Amino acid sequence: MSALFTVIENGITMVFDLQDRARLLHFSALPFDAKTLGHNADELSRFNLVEVNISGLDKPLERHGAGFTATAPGYTLRYRQHQDTRNVDGRKLVFTLFDMHTAAEVEVHYQFYTRLSLLRSWSVIRNQGNAPFTVEYLSSFVINGIEKESAKNWGDNFSLHIPHNSWTRELQWRQYTFDELGFMPCIQKGLQRSSKPLHYTNTGAWSSKEYLPMGYLEDKHTGAGLFWQIEHNGSWHWEIGDQANHLYLQIGGPNEFYHHWFKHLRPGDEFSSVPVAVGVTQSGFTDAIATLTQYRRRTRRINDDNQRLGVIFNDYMNCLFGDPTTAKLLPLIDAAAEAGAEYFCIDCGWYDKGEWWNGVGQWLPSAERFPEGIQYVIGYIREKGLIPGLWLELEVMGVKSPKLPETDDSWFFMRHGKRVFDRSRYQLDFTCPAVLRHADEVIDRLVTEYGVGYIKMDYNIEPGIGTEQYADSVGDGLLKHNRAYLAWLDAVFARYPQLIIENCGSGGLRMDYALLSRCSIQSTSDQEDYLKYATIAANAPTAVTPEQAAIWSYPLRDDDEQAVIFNQVSAMLLRIHQSGHLAELSEQGFHQVQDAIRYYKTLRQQLKTALPFWPLGLSSFTDEWVALGMQAEDGKVWLAVWRREGTQESCALPLTGLQGKVVQGYPSTMQHTTTWDNDVLTVTMPPRSAAIFEIMH
């Protein structure tokens, strides 16, 4: 280790060995101690900057099971040079490596962000030779030795926080020990090694259908934590495994083993991995999410919506449920405007007179639903002072769509010579020029002809591993489509910078910061039970900035006042996604909706820079009490507290360092009891109740 290069930036310490191999020896909030590396030559050889597999290469080093260790030419890459520069975001490091046998050149990029203990990382591989080769795997970020500062019995020290995600069960974080995951120290002939990495992966275009593309690892022995998010709207993979007495973390996009992805590179070709963000902390999970929240705000598209935090009314959830007509919409528009909404979005069904599921794709309004024309309803929305919106699902075409005769197979995902479909819909391929023209025509018509300013962009199918058309592999086809769709979104926003697009995937099944760096709003769930939705709302800031997280509030016609309040509280520290039959609520219930929206408008300008915290920890559906806090830059705190059903009349909320005057901000019609005892706030309220409290200390 005669050529160590140490980088200390924004609380991150990175140590590189630039002798021959260019190894990353350390990435942590902790200082570097060379003694923790070990002295075995095999151990020291495994600290690669990048892992890459090219077809046909031997892997003489130990590689058992499904983990990406001892990749080739990952272990033969040699250091050429590095650049150390600064740009508008912060410091930037680029390391260039080269393999003599394949003539593969790999760049490893690390972009820092000023004052944030986090970096964005990705890799670029180029074919600098005279013969083609095939890439089967390319990491976006690798760090080995994540256990080296821990105690020797590291198996007892680590907790891995996994964000489970599913339709109507989004944002369900769970914490596991390595032992609970079947991953513990096992020394054989002096080496820690196994065939079982802890691997979490997504295959397909619903990027968060099973897990959010992120994670958090904490070592209770040192208090140090690692956290990450994968910024991709398709297939991704991360794993923690063991090799040669050390544990490693690898993060990246699609690969051949899990996603049927490989890429042929001809001489002169290059390929870039998907970007990932990786950070460090010594202050726990809440600090990690605070860092991610600030990073997400800094790297997303600048737009007015995330500055204004407009109140959305959407006619779908526990309301029209995809059956809009002029007669049904007009009283809802009146009620939404009176309640204080600022956007009114007509959800699905506006383009077909009857059962519309398998006929989508032409995106022309139904004359039966709108005898006067949809422009009449949209004009009525504008007359009421609201921005009008429509629902779209542009990436699909129904098997009975009237648009189908104008298409051919080149428009669609294809596998084994057949069109790929799911739930009676074909998957469109956004690498096809005809598809892009079709998508542009639809957007242009909605914006310029109909006067739409808001689009709810939904996505309700899963096309699986990808398409064989225009691609080296089906996984390559999916990746090309994913990236083409993002480029198309960029072009739409370039043409219409004021257009608001909500990202939706059957609720929260495509919740990633490839899309959310562009779209200003994220649908969080299709959950119809308002009691369960409190958990989704409370956990939403882990995955989405508060000002992008659309939370349904949908009081029912016959709800009592307390139920209406519970609904409204769920959305009031995030983005109000109002629904429900507002025109048919009781007078008391409607006044509660009005009061909630009026109160929200007094705090939303501070919410857009506030940071979340969880006095009771992250929520589960079984919790009787749920709490979410938001702390503003000036120190003021808003606290949402929900009590579902159960026997615990009071709840003690640990609020270390926040003791001060407590005021109930909402509701104003019924007061709940609060008492301080040192740094603990105790709240008493009846079942099915909720409130927003303000704390100024």
Side-chain angles (χ1 to χ4, degrees):
M1 292 186 293
S2 59
L4 294 188
F5 171 44
T6 299
V7 174
I8 300 175
E9 195 75 15
N10 310 323
I12 303 172
T13 298
M14 300 181 79
V15 178
F16 302 87
D17 180 358
L18 301 184
Q19 185 178 17
D20 189 32
R21 289 283 306 282
R23 297 173 295 161
L24 175 56
L25 304 179
H26 189 72
F27 178 87
S28 178
L30 301 172
F32 176 59
D33 181 356
K35 294 191 296 293
T36 62
L37 293 174
H39 303 287
N40 180 286
D42 188 32
E43 291 181 50
L44 293 173
S45 73
R46 304 301 184 95
F47 286 75
N48 293 341
L49 275 182
V50 64
E51 297 288 358
V52 54
N53 269 333
I54 289 178
S55 299
L57 299 183
D58 186 22
K59 304 173 182 66
L61 300 177
E62 174 189 346
R63 182 177 183 268
H64 290 306
F68 291 104
T69 59
T71 58
Y75 78 98
T76 58
L77 288 168
R78 294 295 181 261
Y79 170 72
R80 270 194 165 176
Q81 64 179 10
H82 75 277
Q83 296 174 318
D84 187 353
T85 60
R86 289 193 178 270
N87 53 37
V88 294
D89 293 316
R91 193 171 183 179
K92 174 80 184 291
L93 298 174
V94 181
F95 293 85
T96 303
L97 313 175
F98 189 75
D99 176 59
M100 293 295 294
H101 177 65
T102 60
E105 180 185 84
V106 181
E107 286 181 352
V108 182
H109 294 249
Y110 301 115
Q111 174 67 62
F112 294 87
Y113 293 84
T114 305
R115 296 186 301 278
L116 297 181
S117 295
L118 166 151
L119 57 75
R120 177 183 278 168
S121 177
W122 68 96
S123 306
V124 181
I125 185 169
R126 297 186 183 91
N127 186 343
Q128 301 284 50
N130 299 315
F133 58 69
T134 300
V135 182
E136 301 171 356
Y137 175 77
L138 179 64
S139 63
S140 295
F141 179 83
V142 180
I143 178 62
N144 194 23
I146 58 177
E147 87 309 324
K148 63 187 190 316
E149 283 78 34
S150 191
K152 288 186 178 180
N153 59 333
W154 53 260
D156 298 325
N157 298 334
F158 285 96
S159 61
L160 186 59
H161 299 239
I162 302 297
H164 296 271
N165 211 59
S166 174
W167 185 64
T168 73
R169 297 189 297 277
E170 291 86 353
L171 298 146
Q172 299 300 299
W173 287 81
R174 297 295 182 268
Q175 181 176 340
Y176 304 95
T177 65
F178 279 176
D179 183 49
E180 289 170 327
L181 296 170
F183 185 74
M184 289 293 285
C186 182
I187 307 297
Q188 284 284 97
K189 297 181 180 179
L191 283 177
Q192 164 66 35
R193 56 188 179 183
S194 72
S195 61
K196 178 186 175 62
L198 302 175
H199 56 86
Y200 296 85
T201 195
N202 177 71
T203 303
W206 263 344
S207 59
S208 56
K209 63 180 175 286
E210 294 183 83
Y211 307 98
L212 297 173
M214 56 186 301
Y216 176 73
L217 177 70
E218 186 171 23
D219 179 1
K220 68 181 181 182
H221 178 75
T222 64
L226 283 171
F227 56 93
W228 56 92
Q229 72 174 21
I230 303 171
E231 297 166 6
H232 182 50
N233 54 328
S235 296
W236 53 260
H237 176 82
W238 65 264
E239 68 184 41
I240 292 173
D242 52 358
Q243 57 174 336
N245 293 338
H246 287 296
L247 303 186
Y248 66 86
L249 167 67
Q250 286 190 45
I251 314 171
N255 58 71
E256 185 175 36
F257 193 91
Y258 291 100
H259 310 111
H260 302 259
W261 176 90
F262 56 82
K263 182 70 178 172
H264 300 312
L265 293 187
R266 296 179 297 274
D269 286 352
E270 69 175 43
F271 171 77
S272 296
S273 69
V274 306
V276 304
V278 191
V280 303
T281 181
Q282 278 189 281
S283 302
F285 181 85
T286 300
D287 180 65
I289 297 301
T291 301
L292 276 172
T293 300
Q294 294 171 86
Y295 165 77
R296 292 162 177 168
R297 286 169 172 158
R298 195 178 296 184
T299 55
R300 72 183 176 213
R301 179 180 63 90
I302 297 172
N303 63 87
D304 289 342
D305 176 68
N306 290 150
Q307 294 299 311
R308 294 181 62 244
L309 279 67
V311 176
I312 308 152
F313 184 91
N314 179 294
D315 67 26
Y316 182 81
M317 187 61 72
N318 286 340
C319 191
L320 299 187
F321 273 131
D323 189 25
T325 65
T326 301
K328 292 177 180 178
L329 286 168
L330 295 186
L332 272 178
I333 296 165
D334 290 339
E338 189 179 353
E342 291 155 311
Y343 308 153
F344 190 102
C345 184
I346 302 169
D347 210 278
C348 51
W350 58 270
Y351 35 77
D352 199 307
K353 63 181 179 180
E355 174 51 50
W356 44 261
W357 181 268
N358 59 13
V360 296
Q362 191 174 45
W363 308 113
L364 293 173
S366 165
E368 288 82 1
R369 292 184 182 276
F370 307 104
E372 307 87 350
I374 201 167
Q375 290 95 325
Y376 172 79
V377 177
I378 290 173
Y380 191 83
I381 293 170
R382 286 208 177 272
E383 287 174 12
K384 292 293 181 177
L386 309 176
I387 293 175
L390 285 175
W391 179 96
L392 282 180
E393 192 173 352
L394 264 184
E395 288 170 82
V396 306
M397 190 168 290
V399 296
K400 294 185 178 180
S401 173
K403 183 73 175 178
L404 276 177
E406 302 176 36
T407 71
D408 57 42
D409 285 349
S410 69
W411 285 53
F412 303 102
F413 273 29
M414 302 287 291
R415 289 201 297 270
H416 310 297
K418 302 293 184 180
R419 294 182 186 180
V420 173
F421 62 88
D422 180 33
R423 296 189 68 199
S424 302
R425 290 163 171 197
Y426 297 118
Q427 171 69 50
L428 291 172
D429 189 337
F430 269 61
T431 66
C432 173
V435 169
L436 295 178
R437 288 193 296 271
H438 159 69
D440 284 340
E441 288 168 4
V442 174
I443 296 295
D444 292 346
R445 180 168 65 248
L446 266 58
V447 174
T448 62
E449 185 179 336
Y450 299 168
V452 164
Y454 184 106
I455 291 173
K456 178 179 178 179
M457 197 73 79
D458 209 343
Y459 184 62
N460 289 297
I461 73 167
E462 172 52 88
I465 57 179
T467 177
E468 63 199 14
Q469 286 203 117
Y470 322 118
D472 295 339
S473 59
V474 290
D476 179 45
L478 176 61
L479 179 61
K480 284 183 171 180
H481 162 77
N482 296 143
R483 289 175 163 173
Y485 179 71
L486 296 177
W488 175 79
L489 275 178
D490 290 338
V492 168
F493 285 123
R495 292 203 310 279
Y496 305 113
Q498 301 306 312
L499 181 64
I500 301 156
I501 296 184
E502 172 192 338
N503 182 51
C504 182
S506 288
L509 301 189
R510 199 158 63 160
M511 207 163 355
D512 63 73
Y513 265 85
L515 288 161
L516 285 172
S517 64
R518 294 159 169 90
C519 299
S520 60
I521 301 173
Q522 171 66 48
S523 176
T524 52
S525 187
D526 282 348
Q527 175 57 249
E528 297 174 26
D529 183 340
Y530 74 93
L531 293 173
K532 289 187 173 69
Y533 215 124
T535 285
I536 294 169
N539 294 350
T542 62
V544 184
T545 65
E547 63 274 19
Q548 289 180 283
I551 304 296
W552 287 110
S553 172
Y554 37 53
L556 303 178
R557 293 181 179 95
D558 54 352
D559 272 350
D560 60 23
E561 191 175 8
Q562 209 162 264
V564 176
I565 292 167
F566 196 107
N567 265 285
Q568 297 302 128
V569 166
S570 291
M572 286 170 63
L573 296 186
L574 301 145
R575 286 297 292 276
I576 297 180
H577 211 181
Q578 191 69 52
S579 195
H581 289 279
L582 295 190
E584 301 175 41
L585 294 183
S586 68
E587 185 176 354
Q588 271 188 328
F590 187 76
H591 286 327
Q592 287 294 351
V593 174
Q594 284 182 309
D595 287 348
I597 293 174
R598 188 181 302 118
Y599 177 69
Y600 177 77
K601 291 177 179 178
T602 69
L603 57 86
R604 61 182 171 182
Q605 287 306 304
Q606 290 176 281
L607 287 179
K608 68 187 183 185
T609 56
L611 296 175
F613 66 96
W614 295 269
L616 301 176
L618 296 180
S619 177
S620 299
F621 287 137
T622 54
D623 295 336
E624 180 178 353
W625 289 83
V626 180
L628 168 65
M630 289 286 175
Q631 184 159 20
E633 290 179 314
D634 64 1
K636 186 173 183 178
V637 167
W638 291 274
L639 189 63
V641 181
W642 300 262
R643 182 189 172 192
R644 288 191 281 231
E645 296 167 308
T647 59
Q648 186 183 343
E649 295 181 357
S650 299
C651 182
L653 302 166
L655 296 171
T656 303
L658 293 180
Q659 186 165 358
K661 183 179 180 182
V662 179
V663 176
Q664 184 173 305
Y666 176 82
S668 60
T669 54
M670 56 181 73
Q671 291 294 310
H672 302 294
T673 303
T674 60
T675 57
W676 280 109
D677 183 7
N678 294 321
D679 286 335
V680 176
L681 177 68
T682 298
V683 177
T684 303
M685 59 174 63
R688 296 190 176 220
S689 294
I692 303 288
F693 300 97
E694 299 178 10
I695 305 172
M696 182 61 77
H697 64 95

